[in-house]
Amino acid sequence: MSVFGLVFFLLALWEVKSPRRKLKNPKLRRWPVNIGLIIISTLLIKFLFLGGAIVIADTVEKKEWGLLFYYFKDLPFWAHVIIAFILLDLSIYFQHVMFHTLPLLWRFHRVHHADTDCDVTTGIRFHPIEMLLSILIKFMTIVAIGAPVIAVLIFELVLNATSMFTHSNVRLPGKMDPLVRWLFVTPDMHRVHHSSIRHETNSNFGFNFSFWDRLFGTYIKQPELGHDNMDIGLKKFKQAKWGSLRWLLYMPFITEVPNYLIGTKRSNETTSSEEETDESDIKR
């Protein structure tokens, strides 16, 4: 929590000092909602999974479960830590792709994408049920890999920090962005992922390492309209009510799934007939 608070404060200050683009909606309207989501998610996860991933990793390490213990037991401990970190990062990439592919998972993930701006709080804006699903997937991944406790601890710290950094509305100095993104995801790279243009929404899935997107063909260098002019969010959820905490919590349970899914004909459609939201979409 100390690392989280420090990174959040520094990035929020950076956004004030050197913003990348002008926000469309005031922070006082968006921040309480985004922070409210993470508070609800954190309390729920702490209640259900006391200790979380660290406890699972400790059990795995003591019982010597997983890939690293079965097939790479003779490697030094530091090699286990590095391999586990890389595989955990790869699992987050595939998990992210999966949340854009399966309609049930997209229902919850679209709460994250419905934010009409992209800043440090977008990196913590996730529906509580998505957070629960994510941590269960993480538990299974830790067991399958046989990730050491220290690897999981480092990964958790890095994942939280990079999630806030890659979503932040900051301007990297000079020509630093193209240099950094050879290895790591930058805010400009990830911002493309939050474009309302569908094929851009389904790109740049990485959270930490940028090479996964290049390796698996999901990398887009820049948004078509440029960072200053690009539209952020989901066109279906532009109405003011979707900026409230109550409606965001309810969003996954509306009947229709918007056409942003990977691998479907709907993901390539140009028609806007389904981009309008009205009360007829909401079936209680």
Side-chain angles (χ1 to χ4, degrees):
M1 289 302 295
S2 299
V3 173
F4 171 86
L6 178 61
V7 172
F8 183 92
F9 173 78
L10 292 176
L11 288 172
L13 185 62
W14 190 354
E15 288 184 341
V16 173
K17 295 292 185 180
S18 183
R20 179 63 177 86
R21 66 196 300 270
K22 185 177 180 180
L23 299 180
K24 293 183 178 180
N25 292 295
K27 290 183 177 182
L28 288 177
R29 181 184 303 168
R30 292 174 49 255
W31 278 33
V33 174
N34 291 355
I35 293 173
L37 278 175
I38 193 61
I39 290 174
I40 294 172
S41 299
T42 301
L43 292 175
L44 185 61
I45 289 171
K46 290 294 184 184
F47 176 75
L48 294 176
F49 305 109
L50 185 62
I54 301 299
V55 171
I56 298 295
D58 182 57
T59 303
V60 166
E61 197 168 354
K62 288 176 180 176
K63 295 185 178 294
E64 297 188 348
W65 290 339
L67 176 71
L68 292 176
F69 287 105
Y70 277 99
Y71 297 104
F72 302 99
K73 192 171 184 178
D74 294 334
L75 289 178
F77 179 74
W78 61 265
H80 278 205
V81 172
I82 293 174
I83 293 171
F85 184 93
I86 293 173
L87 291 178
L88 284 168
D89 195 73
L90 176 61
S91 74
I92 292 295
Y93 170 86
F94 281 124
Q95 176 187 312
H96 197 176
V97 173
M98 186 169 63
F99 271 84
H100 279 250
T101 306
L102 302 179
L104 178 62
L105 299 182
W106 173 247
R107 284 181 176 273
F108 297 100
H109 188 57
R110 64 189 178 184
V111 171
H112 176 67
H113 277 270
D115 200 350
T116 53
D117 279 306
C118 198
D119 65 16
V120 62
T121 62
T122 310
I124 58 175
R125 171 190 162 119
F126 296 96
H127 194 279
I129 294 180
E130 178 179 358
M131 295 287 284
L132 287 175
L133 292 172
S134 295
I135 199 167
L136 290 174
I137 293 171
K138 188 182 298 179
F139 288 170
M140 290 187 289
T141 304
I142 291 170
V143 174
I145 293 172
V149 172
I150 187 63
V152 174
L153 177 60
I154 294 171
F155 181 75
E156 289 288 281
L157 292 173
V158 171
L159 180 65
N160 280 278
T162 54
S163 181
M164 289 187 286
F165 171 68
T166 56
H167 289 89
S168 61
N169 183 38
V170 300
R171 185 183 299 274
L172 295 181
K175 298 181 179 180
M176 186 179 291
D177 183 272
L179 295 175
V180 173
R181 76 162 68 184
W182 275 109
L183 184 59
F184 300 108
V185 178
T186 65
D188 274 14
M189 176 181 166
H190 190 73
R191 193 177 298 110
V192 178
H193 180 74
H194 283 265
S195 166
S196 62
I197 299 175
R198 294 167 195 144
H199 72 272
E200 292 183 349
T201 307
N202 293 323
S203 70
N204 298 6
F205 292 100
F207 267 75
N208 183 36
F209 293 126
S210 61
F211 48 71
W212 301 128
D213 284 292
R214 292 188 181 89
L215 182 63
F216 296 108
T218 54
Y219 177 66
I220 292 180
K221 186 176 181 180
Q222 299 292 342
E224 289 181 4
L225 302 178
H227 288 281
D228 292 330
N229 297 321
M230 68 181 291
D231 181 53
I232 289 176
L234 299 177
K235 293 178 181 178
K236 187 178 178 67
F237 298 107
K238 293 291 187 179
Q239 288 182 325
K241 70 179 182 181
W242 297 112
S244 72
L245 183 59
R246 179 173 71 93
W247 278 101
L248 286 181
L249 290 171
Y250 183 65
M251 184 185 291
F253 306 104
I254 67 171
T255 301
E256 185 184 352
V257 179
N259 50 357
Y260 281 80
L261 291 168
I262 297 175
T264 64
K265 180 180 177 182
R266 297 174 66 190
S267 67
N268 297 317
E269 291 174 353
T270 58
T271 178
S272 61
S273 61
E274 296 182 3
E275 303 296 355
E276 300 296 328
T277 301
D278 56 40
E279 297 304 322
S280 64
D281 291 332
I282 315 295
K283 296 182 180 180
R284 297 182 182 277

